[in-house]
Amino acid sequence: MDIGLLSVSMNVYSTKRLAEEAEKLGHYIELIDHTKCSVKLGLGRPEIYLGEENVTNEFDAIIPRIGAKVTRHGAAIVKQFEMNGIFSTARSLGITRARNKVRTLQIMARKGIPIPETLFSINPDNIEEQINLLGGPPVIIKLQEGTQGLGVILAESKKSAKSIIDTFYKMNTSILIQKYIEESNGEDIRIFVVGHKVVAAMKRRSALGEFRSNVHRGGDTEAVKPTAKEQYIALNAVKYLGLGVAGVDLIRSKKGPLLIEVNASPGLQGIEAATGVNIAREVILFVQKNGGRRK
Ligand code: ADP
Ligand code: MG
């Protein structure tokens, strides 16, 4: 099979691993830097170019690894491959849905997937009421499109929550306010889904003096066996968003597991190391099963 790997560089662990496993399984795999792609629309079939090379008909499947900074353009390129009938491990719509936490949580809430109580608004006139609607402080304030824990703030008092929220509203920054799940204890669970299967899961524990468990914030990892309910949540979340490959993040609360976000281009490094699972191979096997020219 000829596989297009949409990523900005081969010098990234996940990209390298996917290429390695694809080659081991006898496939041709090519790096497509989506930031260098253009689409030509007009009469006839739209054409996709990588620089000057026409790649419209080159692939049987694509694997998008779209970074946070170029989601819009990346998703548009994926959409074009999709519209041309090429299998993708993540649908364009799924990528944009997962990119925005509010959008993800709205879909989860409608489908009955448990999430922390969350509020979004842009109104600076009743911030106190907004905080009260979540049961008062402490509250979590998040950038709707943050990653790596960078846009996540814990506000312990009403005073600080109010001033932080007010600042974001006045700066026209899209945020959400969320009930702080204290008993999650600075830990979260990352469940890696490929196709309709949970292939690996790890627990991330935050560094000392930190509530965010992101590895980029110094968190450490260990393999974990998710409960049946956690697996059910992860599998359904991925299905509802329209993703074939995804990382689902849950926190454990007194009332059971709560979904906090879904990552459409989940990294492989941390979780392959923590669990010993060959996830890259699982992804390629999934592509092998579903890809094929002009399905
Ligand atoms: P990011 O996209 O930046 O990773 P997350 O929503 O995943 O943002 O939040 C980062 C981390 O902060 C989570 O992994 C979790 O450890 C912690 N966290 C997020 N939301 C809550 C919450 N409502 N209660 C307690 N901890 C939270
Ligand atoms: Mg996260």
PDB file of all heavy atoms in Angstrom, residues 150-177:
ATOM      1  N   LEU A 150      -0.495  23.882  28.920  1.00  0.00           N
ATOM      2  CA  LEU A 150      -0.075  25.277  29.002  1.00  0.00           C
ATOM      3  C   LEU A 150      -1.203  26.262  29.267  1.00  0.00           C
ATOM      4  O   LEU A 150      -1.008  27.267  29.930  1.00  0.00           O
ATOM      5  CB  LEU A 150       0.682  25.678  27.722  1.00  0.00           C
ATOM      6  CG  LEU A 150       2.095  25.112  27.670  1.00  0.00           C
ATOM      7  CD1 LEU A 150       2.766  25.460  26.353  1.00  0.00           C
ATOM      8  CD2 LEU A 150       2.916  25.630  28.842  1.00  0.00           C
ATOM      9  N   GLY A 151      -2.404  25.978  28.747  1.00  0.00           N
ATOM     10  CA  GLY A 151      -3.490  26.942  28.950  1.00  0.00           C
ATOM     11  C   GLY A 151      -4.432  26.556  30.067  1.00  0.00           C
ATOM     12  O   GLY A 151      -5.597  26.904  30.026  1.00  0.00           O
ATOM     13  N   VAL A 152      -3.942  25.831  31.058  1.00  0.00           N
ATOM     14  CA  VAL A 152      -4.816  25.331  32.122  1.00  0.00           C
ATOM     15  C   VAL A 152      -4.421  25.953  33.459  1.00  0.00           C
ATOM     16  O   VAL A 152      -3.277  25.833  33.892  1.00  0.00           O
ATOM     17  CB  VAL A 152      -4.748  23.780  32.199  1.00  0.00           C
ATOM     18  CG1 VAL A 152      -5.668  23.253  33.294  1.00  0.00           C
ATOM     19  CG2 VAL A 152      -5.129  23.166  30.860  1.00  0.00           C
ATOM     20  N   ILE A 153      -5.381  26.647  34.069  1.00  0.00           N
ATOM     21  CA  ILE A 153      -5.094  27.396  35.297  1.00  0.00           C
ATOM     22  C   ILE A 153      -6.020  26.917  36.406  1.00  0.00           C
ATOM     23  O   ILE A 153      -7.214  26.709  36.183  1.00  0.00           O
ATOM     24  CB  ILE A 153      -5.346  28.904  35.056  1.00  0.00           C
ATOM     25  CG1 ILE A 153      -4.452  29.416  33.921  1.00  0.00           C
ATOM     26  CG2 ILE A 153      -5.124  29.715  36.329  1.00  0.00           C
ATOM     27  CD1 ILE A 153      -4.943  30.715  33.319  1.00  0.00           C
ATOM     28  N   LEU A 154      -5.472  26.770  37.596  1.00  0.00           N
ATOM     29  CA  LEU A 154      -6.298  26.449  38.765  1.00  0.00           C
ATOM     30  C   LEU A 154      -6.469  27.734  39.575  1.00  0.00           C
ATOM     31  O   LEU A 154      -5.487  28.344  39.998  1.00  0.00           O
ATOM     32  CB  LEU A 154      -5.597  25.367  39.605  1.00  0.00           C
ATOM     33  CG  LEU A 154      -6.200  25.059  40.973  1.00  0.00           C
ATOM     34  CD1 LEU A 154      -7.648  24.591  40.867  1.00  0.00           C
ATOM     35  CD2 LEU A 154      -5.373  23.990  41.688  1.00  0.00           C
ATOM     36  N   ALA A 155      -7.722  28.161  39.746  1.00  0.00           N
ATOM     37  CA  ALA A 155      -7.985  29.369  40.535  1.00  0.00           C
ATOM     38  C   ALA A 155      -8.625  28.933  41.845  1.00  0.00           C
ATOM     39  O   ALA A 155      -9.712  28.366  41.857  1.00  0.00           O
ATOM     40  CB  ALA A 155      -8.894  30.315  39.766  1.00  0.00           C
ATOM     41  N   GLU A 156      -7.930  29.188  42.946  1.00  0.00           N
ATOM     42  CA  GLU A 156      -8.380  28.637  44.222  1.00  0.00           C
ATOM     43  C   GLU A 156      -9.374  29.532  44.947  1.00  0.00           C
ATOM     44  O   GLU A 156     -10.158  29.056  45.754  1.00  0.00           O
ATOM     45  CB  GLU A 156      -7.166  28.303  45.090  1.00  0.00           C
ATOM     46  CG  GLU A 156      -6.373  27.195  44.384  1.00  0.00           C
ATOM     47  CD  GLU A 156      -5.199  26.653  45.162  1.00  0.00           C
ATOM     48  OE1 GLU A 156      -5.407  25.694  45.911  1.00  0.00           O
ATOM     49  OE2 GLU A 156      -4.085  27.206  45.008  1.00  0.00           O
ATOM     50  N   SER A 157      -9.339  30.822  44.650  1.00  0.00           N
ATOM     51  CA  SER A 157     -10.298  31.708  45.320  1.00  0.00           C
ATOM     52  C   SER A 157     -11.179  32.386  44.280  1.00  0.00           C
ATOM     53  O   SER A 157     -10.831  32.456  43.098  1.00  0.00           O
ATOM     54  CB  SER A 157      -9.544  32.781  46.108  1.00  0.00           C
ATOM     55  OG  SER A 157      -8.940  33.696  45.203  1.00  0.00           O
ATOM     56  N   LYS A 158     -12.310  32.882  44.744  1.00  0.00           N
ATOM     57  CA  LYS A 158     -13.219  33.574  43.832  1.00  0.00           C
ATOM     58  C   LYS A 158     -12.534  34.822  43.274  1.00  0.00           C
ATOM     59  O   LYS A 158     -12.662  35.143  42.093  1.00  0.00           O
ATOM     60  CB  LYS A 158     -14.510  33.935  44.562  1.00  0.00           C
ATOM     61  CG  LYS A 158     -15.590  34.404  43.602  1.00  0.00           C
ATOM     62  CD  LYS A 158     -16.935  34.594  44.275  1.00  0.00           C
ATOM     63  CE  LYS A 158     -17.779  33.340  44.225  1.00  0.00           C
ATOM     64  NZ  LYS A 158     -19.085  33.487  44.897  1.00  0.00           N
ATOM     65  N   LYS A 159     -11.795  35.485  44.140  1.00  0.00           N
ATOM     66  CA  LYS A 159     -11.110  36.716  43.721  1.00  0.00           C
ATOM     67  C   LYS A 159     -10.173  36.454  42.542  1.00  0.00           C
ATOM     68  O   LYS A 159     -10.208  37.161  41.534  1.00  0.00           O
ATOM     69  CB  LYS A 159     -10.273  37.238  44.902  1.00  0.00           C
ATOM     70  CG  LYS A 159     -10.579  38.670  45.283  1.00  0.00           C
ATOM     71  CD  LYS A 159      -9.447  39.217  46.120  1.00  0.00           C
ATOM     72  CE  LYS A 159      -9.915  39.529  47.521  1.00  0.00           C
ATOM     73  NZ  LYS A 159      -8.844  39.757  48.486  1.00  0.00           N
ATOM     74  N   SER A 160      -9.337  35.442  42.668  1.00  0.00           N
ATOM     75  CA  SER A 160      -8.395  35.200  41.571  1.00  0.00           C
ATOM     76  C   SER A 160      -9.139  34.677  40.347  1.00  0.00           C
ATOM     77  O   SER A 160      -8.837  35.076  39.217  1.00  0.00           O
ATOM     78  CB  SER A 160      -7.250  34.280  41.991  1.00  0.00           C
ATOM     79  OG  SER A 160      -7.739  33.052  42.434  1.00  0.00           O
ATOM     80  N   ALA A 161     -10.131  33.798  40.551  1.00  0.00           N
ATOM     81  CA  ALA A 161     -10.888  33.284  39.408  1.00  0.00           C
ATOM     82  C   ALA A 161     -11.505  34.445  38.635  1.00  0.00           C
ATOM     83  O   ALA A 161     -11.406  34.512  37.405  1.00  0.00           O
ATOM     84  CB  ALA A 161     -11.970  32.312  39.876  1.00  0.00           C
ATOM     85  N   LYS A 162     -12.112  35.377  39.365  1.00  0.00           N
ATOM     86  CA  LYS A 162     -12.779  36.502  38.700  1.00  0.00           C
ATOM     87  C   LYS A 162     -11.822  37.327  37.863  1.00  0.00           C
ATOM     88  O   LYS A 162     -12.101  37.689  36.716  1.00  0.00           O
ATOM     89  CB  LYS A 162     -13.442  37.409  39.753  1.00  0.00           C
ATOM     90  CG  LYS A 162     -14.891  37.037  40.001  1.00  0.00           C
ATOM     91  CD  LYS A 162     -15.474  37.743  41.195  1.00  0.00           C
ATOM     92  CE  LYS A 162     -15.822  39.185  40.918  1.00  0.00           C
ATOM     93  NZ  LYS A 162     -16.519  39.787  42.096  1.00  0.00           N
ATOM     94  N   SER A 163     -10.662  37.618  38.430  1.00  0.00           N
ATOM     95  CA  SER A 163      -9.741  38.489  37.693  1.00  0.00           C
ATOM     96  C   SER A 163      -9.148  37.777  36.484  1.00  0.00           C
ATOM     97  O   SER A 163      -8.941  38.377  35.428  1.00  0.00           O
ATOM     98  CB  SER A 163      -8.650  39.045  38.617  1.00  0.00           C
ATOM     99  OG  SER A 163      -7.889  37.995  39.140  1.00  0.00           O
ATOM    100  N   ILE A 164      -8.917  36.470  36.613  1.00  0.00           N
ATOM    101  CA  ILE A 164      -8.362  35.718  35.471  1.00  0.00           C
ATOM    102  C   ILE A 164      -9.404  35.643  34.346  1.00  0.00           C
ATOM    103  O   ILE A 164      -9.116  35.936  33.179  1.00  0.00           O
ATOM    104  CB  ILE A 164      -7.937  34.289  35.891  1.00  0.00           C
ATOM    105  CG1 ILE A 164      -6.783  34.350  36.906  1.00  0.00           C
ATOM    106  CG2 ILE A 164      -7.520  33.468  34.673  1.00  0.00           C
ATOM    107  CD1 ILE A 164      -6.555  33.056  37.672  1.00  0.00           C
ATOM    108  N   ILE A 165     -10.627  35.277  34.723  1.00  0.00           N
ATOM    109  CA  ILE A 165     -11.690  35.128  33.714  1.00  0.00           C
ATOM    110  C   ILE A 165     -11.956  36.474  33.037  1.00  0.00           C
ATOM    111  O   ILE A 165     -12.052  36.573  31.805  1.00  0.00           O
ATOM    112  CB  ILE A 165     -12.976  34.573  34.372  1.00  0.00           C
ATOM    113  CG1 ILE A 165     -12.725  33.150  34.885  1.00  0.00           C
ATOM    114  CG2 ILE A 165     -14.145  34.596  33.400  1.00  0.00           C
ATOM    115  CD1 ILE A 165     -13.771  32.625  35.851  1.00  0.00           C
ATOM    116  N   ASP A 166     -12.029  37.523  33.845  1.00  0.00           N
ATOM    117  CA  ASP A 166     -12.265  38.869  33.314  1.00  0.00           C
ATOM    118  C   ASP A 166     -11.190  39.248  32.291  1.00  0.00           C
ATOM    119  O   ASP A 166     -11.476  39.770  31.214  1.00  0.00           O
ATOM    120  CB  ASP A 166     -12.290  39.858  34.489  1.00  0.00           C
ATOM    121  CG  ASP A 166     -12.795  41.221  34.062  1.00  0.00           C
ATOM    122  OD1 ASP A 166     -13.784  41.259  33.304  1.00  0.00           O
ATOM    123  OD2 ASP A 166     -12.190  42.241  34.457  1.00  0.00           O
ATOM    124  N   THR A 167      -9.945  38.949  32.639  1.00  0.00           N
ATOM    125  CA  THR A 167      -8.834  39.263  31.730  1.00  0.00           C
ATOM    126  C   THR A 167      -9.005  38.532  30.394  1.00  0.00           C
ATOM    127  O   THR A 167      -8.890  39.140  29.328  1.00  0.00           O
ATOM    128  CB  THR A 167      -7.489  38.850  32.358  1.00  0.00           C
ATOM    129  OG1 THR A 167      -7.381  39.484  33.624  1.00  0.00           O
ATOM    130  CG2 THR A 167      -6.308  39.243  31.483  1.00  0.00           C
ATOM    131  N   PHE A 168      -9.297  37.241  30.454  1.00  0.00           N
ATOM    132  CA  PHE A 168      -9.468  36.473  29.207  1.00  0.00           C
ATOM    133  C   PHE A 168     -10.635  37.002  28.375  1.00  0.00           C
ATOM    134  O   PHE A 168     -10.506  37.160  27.161  1.00  0.00           O
ATOM    135  CB  PHE A 168      -9.667  34.985  29.508  1.00  0.00           C
ATOM    136  CG  PHE A 168      -8.376  34.256  29.812  1.00  0.00           C
ATOM    137  CD1 PHE A 168      -8.271  33.434  30.924  1.00  0.00           C
ATOM    138  CD2 PHE A 168      -7.273  34.375  28.973  1.00  0.00           C
ATOM    139  CE1 PHE A 168      -7.087  32.746  31.197  1.00  0.00           C
ATOM    140  CE2 PHE A 168      -6.087  33.694  29.233  1.00  0.00           C
ATOM    141  CZ  PHE A 168      -6.003  32.879  30.360  1.00  0.00           C
ATOM    142  N   TYR A 169     -11.757  37.291  29.035  1.00  0.00           N
ATOM    143  CA  TYR A 169     -12.908  37.811  28.278  1.00  0.00           C
ATOM    144  C   TYR A 169     -12.536  39.122  27.591  1.00  0.00           C
ATOM    145  O   TYR A 169     -12.826  39.336  26.420  1.00  0.00           O
ATOM    146  CB  TYR A 169     -14.111  38.032  29.200  1.00  0.00           C
ATOM    147  CG  TYR A 169     -14.829  36.775  29.661  1.00  0.00           C
ATOM    148  CD1 TYR A 169     -15.772  36.832  30.687  1.00  0.00           C
ATOM    149  CD2 TYR A 169     -14.579  35.537  29.077  1.00  0.00           C
ATOM    150  CE1 TYR A 169     -16.446  35.696  31.124  1.00  0.00           C
ATOM    151  CE2 TYR A 169     -15.243  34.396  29.505  1.00  0.00           C
ATOM    152  CZ  TYR A 169     -16.170  34.483  30.523  1.00  0.00           C
ATOM    153  OH  TYR A 169     -16.836  33.350  30.953  1.00  0.00           O
ATOM    154  N   LYS A 170     -11.864  39.982  28.318  1.00  0.00           N
ATOM    155  CA  LYS A 170     -11.517  41.288  27.742  1.00  0.00           C
ATOM    156  C   LYS A 170     -10.484  41.161  26.627  1.00  0.00           C
ATOM    157  O   LYS A 170     -10.395  41.999  25.740  1.00  0.00           O
ATOM    158  CB  LYS A 170     -10.999  42.222  28.850  1.00  0.00           C
ATOM    159  CG  LYS A 170     -12.035  42.440  29.959  1.00  0.00           C
ATOM    160  CD  LYS A 170     -12.498  43.878  30.059  1.00  0.00           C
ATOM    161  CE  LYS A 170     -13.837  43.985  30.799  1.00  0.00           C
ATOM    162  NZ  LYS A 170     -13.695  44.116  32.256  1.00  0.00           N
ATOM    163  N   MET A 171      -9.675  40.073  26.684  1.00  0.00           N
ATOM    164  CA  MET A 171      -8.674  39.860  25.636  1.00  0.00           C
ATOM    165  C   MET A 171      -9.259  39.113  24.445  1.00  0.00           C
ATOM    166  O   MET A 171      -8.538  38.783  23.501  1.00  0.00           O
ATOM    167  CB  MET A 171      -7.496  39.036  26.170  1.00  0.00           C
ATOM    168  CG  MET A 171      -6.569  39.798  27.095  1.00  0.00           C
ATOM    169  SD  MET A 171      -5.454  38.675  27.953  1.00  0.00           S
ATOM    170  CE  MET A 171      -4.589  37.953  26.574  1.00  0.00           C
ATOM    171  N   ASN A 172     -10.581  38.797  24.540  1.00  0.00           N
ATOM    172  CA  ASN A 172     -11.224  38.045  23.459  1.00  0.00           C
ATOM    173  C   ASN A 172     -10.635  36.659  23.255  1.00  0.00           C
ATOM    174  O   ASN A 172     -10.534  36.179  22.135  1.00  0.00           O
ATOM    175  CB  ASN A 172     -11.112  38.815  22.148  1.00  0.00           C
ATOM    176  CG  ASN A 172     -12.457  39.378  21.777  1.00  0.00           C
ATOM    177  OD1 ASN A 172     -13.483  38.741  22.022  1.00  0.00           O
ATOM    178  ND2 ASN A 172     -12.452  40.567  21.219  1.00  0.00           N
ATOM    179  N   THR A 173     -10.204  36.049  24.358  1.00  0.00           N
ATOM    180  CA  THR A 173      -9.630  34.701  24.289  1.00  0.00           C
ATOM    181  C   THR A 173     -10.704  33.695  24.673  1.00  0.00           C
ATOM    182  O   THR A 173     -11.392  33.891  25.666  1.00  0.00           O
ATOM    183  CB  THR A 173      -8.447  34.599  25.285  1.00  0.00           C
ATOM    184  OG1 THR A 173      -7.539  35.652  24.992  1.00  0.00           O
ATOM    185  CG2 THR A 173      -7.737  33.276  25.174  1.00  0.00           C
ATOM    186  N   SER A 174     -10.854  32.643  23.876  1.00  0.00           N
ATOM    187  CA  SER A 174     -11.903  31.656  24.169  1.00  0.00           C
ATOM    188  C   SER A 174     -11.455  30.707  25.268  1.00  0.00           C
ATOM    189  O   SER A 174     -10.452  30.006  25.134  1.00  0.00           O
ATOM    190  CB  SER A 174     -12.222  30.847  22.921  1.00  0.00           C
ATOM    191  OG  SER A 174     -12.615  31.712  21.897  1.00  0.00           O
ATOM    192  N   ILE A 175     -12.223  30.707  26.341  1.00  0.00           N
ATOM    193  CA  ILE A 175     -11.889  29.851  27.487  1.00  0.00           C
ATOM    194  C   ILE A 175     -13.110  29.042  27.898  1.00  0.00           C
ATOM    195  O   ILE A 175     -14.218  29.262  27.420  1.00  0.00           O
ATOM    196  CB  ILE A 175     -11.417  30.675  28.705  1.00  0.00           C
ATOM    197  CG1 ILE A 175     -12.491  31.692  29.129  1.00  0.00           C
ATOM    198  CG2 ILE A 175     -10.097  31.360  28.429  1.00  0.00           C
ATOM    199  CD1 ILE A 175     -12.331  32.199  30.558  1.00  0.00           C
ATOM    200  N   LEU A 176     -12.879  28.114  28.801  1.00  0.00           N
ATOM    201  CA  LEU A 176     -13.981  27.435  29.476  1.00  0.00           C
ATOM    202  C   LEU A 176     -13.651  27.428  30.964  1.00  0.00           C
ATOM    203  O   LEU A 176     -12.493  27.572  31.359  1.00  0.00           O
ATOM    204  CB  LEU A 176     -14.178  26.014  28.938  1.00  0.00           C
ATOM    205  CG  LEU A 176     -13.031  25.020  29.036  1.00  0.00           C
ATOM    206  CD1 LEU A 176     -12.994  24.322  30.395  1.00  0.00           C
ATOM    207  CD2 LEU A 176     -13.159  23.968  27.952  1.00  0.00           C
ATOM    208  N   ILE A 177     -14.691  27.289  31.766  1.00  0.00           N
ATOM    209  CA  ILE A 177     -14.504  27.200  33.217  1.00  0.00           C
ATOM    210  C   ILE A 177     -15.022  25.827  33.630  1.00  0.00           C
ATOM    211  O   ILE A 177     -16.058  25.378  33.126  1.00  0.00           O
ATOM    212  CB  ILE A 177     -15.288  28.305  33.958  1.00  0.00           C
ATOM    213  CG1 ILE A 177     -15.100  29.654  33.259  1.00  0.00           C
ATOM    214  CG2 ILE A 177     -14.841  28.419  35.416  1.00  0.00           C
ATOM    215  CD1 ILE A 177     -16.026  30.740  33.785  1.00  0.00           C
TER     216      ILE A 177
END
